[in-house]
Amino acid sequence: KQEVTQIPAALSVPEGENLVLNCSFTDSAIYNLQWFRQDPGKGLTSLLLIQSSQREQTSGRLNASLDKSSGRSTLYIAASQPGDSATYLCAVKGGSEKLVFGKGTKLTVNP
Amino acid sequence: EPEVTQTPSHQVTQMGQEVILRCVPISNHLYFYWYRQILGQKVEFLVSFYNNEISEKSEIFDDQFSVERPDGSNFTLKIRSTKLEDSAMYFCASSDSRGGTETQYFGPGTRLLVL
């Protein structure tokens, strides 16, 4: 059974800092991995999707990497801003239709 | 930009009552999903739907739950007899899933409170 873990559970940084969020998964047989952003009480906004054959994806200040063999992904946020404050969720898709989610990392960027 | 929409945004119901949560997926998408998130917990998969039938369901999706695509645009989740533990945020998602490689796009959610 796939398990997804995200460390740390919470992170507080000053504005402008570069930061890394971590995601690990137990079963390396995945099709893709998605990173989402969730604002309090809101829905999930897809940030990046990495296919199993890819090593990384970039969108603006965000860069996600995938090391499938070791069951790890990282989300790198450059030059963080207060507007980046949110919970970041990692989810993997294996041989079925469902996404399996981690519990998320709550990020606070302080002005 | 196309988006998934859900109604209502909030619903309060009494235990034992039936509720229907509604979703309008992105128009050219083929796969539809329901997930839920109990407060403070992980987002959990409930069911996937393709070609007018359930393609996969989780252990949570028991006989009290059902899904339907009543017309060409709506996708609904019905909970027949709600329980206190059904209180959660329910998310609808859709994807144009070819071979499992596509992004799932989520709606804003319906917050269900069962009293």
Side-chain angles (χ1 to χ4, degrees), chain B residues 99-111:
Chain B
T101 59
E102 297 296 323
T103 299
Q104 290 188 20
Y105 294 91
F106 281 68
T110 293
R111 184 172 296 282

Side-chain angles (χ1 to χ4, degrees), chain A residues 3-5 31-32 34 36 38 41-44 46 49 51 89 93 96-99 101-103, chain B residues 31 33 35 37 40-43 45 48 55-56 89 91 97 100-104 106-108 111:
Chain A
E3 295 285 344
V4 178
T5 303
Y31 280 117
N32 62 48
Q34 271 186 260
F36 292 88
Q38 184 176 30
K42 303 293 185 182
L44 308 179
S46 180
L49 179 141
Q51 305 293 359
L89 302 177
K93 188 172 189 294
S96 68
E97 291 304 316
K98 67 182 180 185
L99 289 175
F101 283 82
K103 202 169 180 182
Chain B
Y31 280 83
Y33 313 85
Y35 292 81
Q37 185 178 33
Q41 299 189 22
K42 294 182 179 183
V43 176
F45 170 79
S48 61
S55 51
E56 186 178 352
M89 182 78 103
F91 295 108
S97 184
T101 59
E102 297 296 323
T103 299
Q104 290 188 20
F106 281 68
R111 184 172 296 282

